Amino acid sequence: MTTFALRNVKQLGALGLLLALVAGCDAQGEEAAAAPPPAPAVQVATVSAREVTLWDTFTGRVAAPETVALRPRVSGYIDRVAFTEGELVKQGDVLFVIDQRPYQARLQMAAAELERARSQLQLSDREAKRAEQLWERRAISREELEQRSAARAIARAGVNSAQAALDNAKLDLAYTEVKAPVGGRMGRAEITRGNLATADSTLLATLVSVDPMYVYFESDQQTADNNPYTSAEQSAVPVKVGLANTQDYPHNGQLDFVDNQFNAATGTLQYRAVVANPQGLLRPGQFARVQMPVAAASKAILIDQKAVLTDQDRRYVYVLDEQNQATRRFVQTGRRMDGLLVIREGLADGDRVVVNGLQKIAFPGMQVAPEPVAMASAERANAIAQNSL
């Protein structure tokens, strides 16, 4: 009996210990379930007002400053095409060669005619001088003297005419080589070897200059009238140019022309910028995006555009208070500047704005864990993220 009772006591003790452990685990589980989840981490940038120049973006088109439609100055059959289609050529390079043999023969004929005219002039000059000596002795009549003097003048004119014919023959022979009047890029050959080219008529090829390039774009009347940078007193207004398939503006240029009247059909004013193009990345006819300064702001607040959200027709950002609670702040946006968005109303200097991690904010007033970043750094981070997609 004693042994059995002792065994029961041990079993009851073990059961009690097991129940205590189970109760302890349940208590810990309830405490873990009751603990709030950690605040989500978001990137926060402090806004600051600074002096900026406001830029606006326009749609433009690239054009070559010089476009040449190559046509022959003499007629003849094409003997050689001396360029590769699409290649870069220098001013003075030979592009087409017209059969030179007929023009070489004409040059030889003109040279021979000049020699004949010079011989005639020498003879006429000797006869005129002899006539002058005979006239002094009254050995000939005055009529004969005048005839020999006129013959000498006619012979001199013949030499001048033969010399002009020779110069013209040399010029025609030189024109058989069609050379590049400007440096640039060649188009395709419109005519090939063996075909007849007619002077001042047949189109041989098209040549366009490549460096620098023009970019034409237009601005509406309100922007043009309020732009202090394009007035008559301003010069060397900078512009930035990017192609339609890029996000940045890698090409720098200057405004060099503003039209003297608005287009009555569109109500716009045309501008022209000169852009260096040493690598030939810009080609005539391309669409381009142009940034030009349009207004000066003494103080402006700029934030990352990713931080701006939309609620129907209103825009807002999440601003953190002292307790790191994200609250909505409705804002009015303006132009873009250096990849950032100008805030005209709604933010003040020193506000902390959520720039990354907005998807983690489930509702206004939610507490978050801020990670301070610079506003420009946030913009670069977004660019890197976009490029990695």
Side-chain angles (χ1 to χ4, degrees), residues 74 103 106-107 110 161-175:
V74 294
Y103 296 95
R106 295 176 189 177
L107 178 62
S161 177
Q163 182 64 56
L166 178 63
D167 293 340
N168 188 58
K170 290 180 179 179
L171 193 60
D172 287 344
L173 180 60
Y175 284 158

Side-chain angles (χ1 to χ4, degrees), residues 55 129 187 222 315 345 379:
W55 296 61
K129 289 179 179 179
Q222 181 178 1
R315 295 185 176 184
E345 293 183 9
E379 173 67 16

Side-chain angles (χ1 to χ4, degrees), residues 14-243:
L15 180 60
L17 180 60
L18 179 60
L19 292 175
L21 291 174
V22 171
C25 292
D26 291 342
Q28 292 179 358
E30 291 177 358
E31 291 178 358
V42 297
Q43 290 185 345
V44 177
T46 302
V47 299
S48 60
R50 59 188 177 94
E51 293 186 359
V52 297
T53 299
L54 300 182
W55 296 61
D56 204 352
T57 303
F58 305 88
T59 300
R61 185 178 289 273
V62 181
E66 296 177 297
T67 301
V68 182
L70 297 171
R71 302 180 189 275
R73 296 190 178 185
V74 294
S75 299
Y77 289 91
I78 298 296
D79 189 52
R80 182 163 59 96
V81 178
F83 70 94
T84 301
E85 296 176 325
E87 73 171 340
L88 292 173
V89 297
K90 298 179 181 179
Q91 183 178 2
D93 287 351
V94 177
L95 306 177
F96 291 89
V97 178
I98 297 174
D99 188 4
Q100 297 179 333
R101 292 172 297 178
Y103 296 95
Q104 289 173 345
R106 295 176 189 177
L107 178 62
Q108 293 174 358
M109 291 177 58
E113 180 62 23
L114 178 60
E115 290 298 324
R116 188 197 64 79
R118 286 174 176 172
S119 299
Q120 185 64 38
L121 175 60
Q122 291 177 357
L123 177 61
S124 299
D125 185 59
R126 288 194 296 267
E127 290 180 350
K129 289 179 179 179
R130 189 180 305 111
E132 290 172 357
Q133 294 173 357
L134 294 174
W135 167 251
E136 291 177 357
R137 297 194 300 268
R138 297 299 187 270
I140 61 173
S141 65
R142 186 172 185 81
E143 180 180 3
E144 188 174 356
L145 174 64
E146 293 177 351
Q147 288 178 350
R148 293 185 180 182
S149 298
R152 180 173 58 183
I154 293 173
R156 185 176 292 113
V159 170
N160 294 335
S161 177
Q163 182 64 56
L166 178 63
D167 293 340
N168 188 58
K170 290 180 179 179
L171 193 60
D172 287 344
L173 180 60
Y175 284 158
T176 59
E177 292 184 344
V178 180
K179 299 181 179 181
V182 297
R185 187 179 300 277
M186 291 299 303
R188 68 184 183 90
E190 301 290 343
I191 191 171
T192 55
R193 180 181 178 182
N195 288 283
L196 176 64
T198 305
D200 303 324
S201 177
T202 303
L203 177 63
L204 302 178
T206 302
L207 171 65
V208 296
S209 60
V210 295
D211 187 21
M213 296 294 285
Y214 285 156
V215 179
Y216 289 92
F217 60 99
E218 296 183 346
S219 171
D220 62 90
Q221 183 173 348
Q222 181 178 1
T223 302
D225 291 341
N226 297 331
N227 191 349
Y229 297 99
T230 56
S231 61
E233 294 78 10
Q234 296 289 334
S235 60
V237 178
V239 298
K240 301 176 183 179
V241 178
L243 298 179

Side-chain angles (χ1 to χ4, degrees), residues 286-349:
Q286 283 179 314
F287 282 103
R289 296 175 297 108
V290 184
Q291 279 193 339
M292 179 180 66
V294 295
S298 57
K299 291 289 184 179
I301 293 178
L302 293 88
I303 68 171
D304 185 356
Q305 189 173 6
K306 297 285 186 177
V308 181
L309 303 176
T310 303
D311 182 6
Q312 294 182 354
D313 60 343
R314 297 184 299 177
R315 295 185 176 184
Y316 67 93
V317 297
Y318 277 110
V319 180
L320 299 190
D321 58 15
E322 295 179 356
Q323 289 74 34
N324 292 332
Q325 292 180 343
T327 59
R328 284 189 180 186
R329 184 79 62 81
F330 290 97
V331 295
Q332 291 186 6
T333 59
R335 302 178 185 274
R336 289 181 59 84
M337 172 65 186
D338 293 337
L340 301 178
L341 193 62
V342 176
I343 301 299
R344 295 183 296 178
E345 293 183 9
L347 290 178
D349 194 9

Side-chain angles (χ1 to χ4, degrees), residues 331-374:
V331 295
Q332 291 186 6
T333 59
R335 302 178 185 274
R336 289 181 59 84
M337 172 65 186
D338 293 337
L340 301 178
L341 193 62
V342 176
I343 301 299
R344 295 183 296 178
E345 293 183 9
L347 290 178
D349 194 9
D351 284 340
R352 295 185 300 162
V353 177
V354 179
V355 293
N356 280 324
L358 293 167
Q359 71 279 3
K360 301 178 183 179
I361 303 176
F363 54 89
M366 181 178 177
Q367 193 170 22
V368 296
E371 295 180 359
V373 295

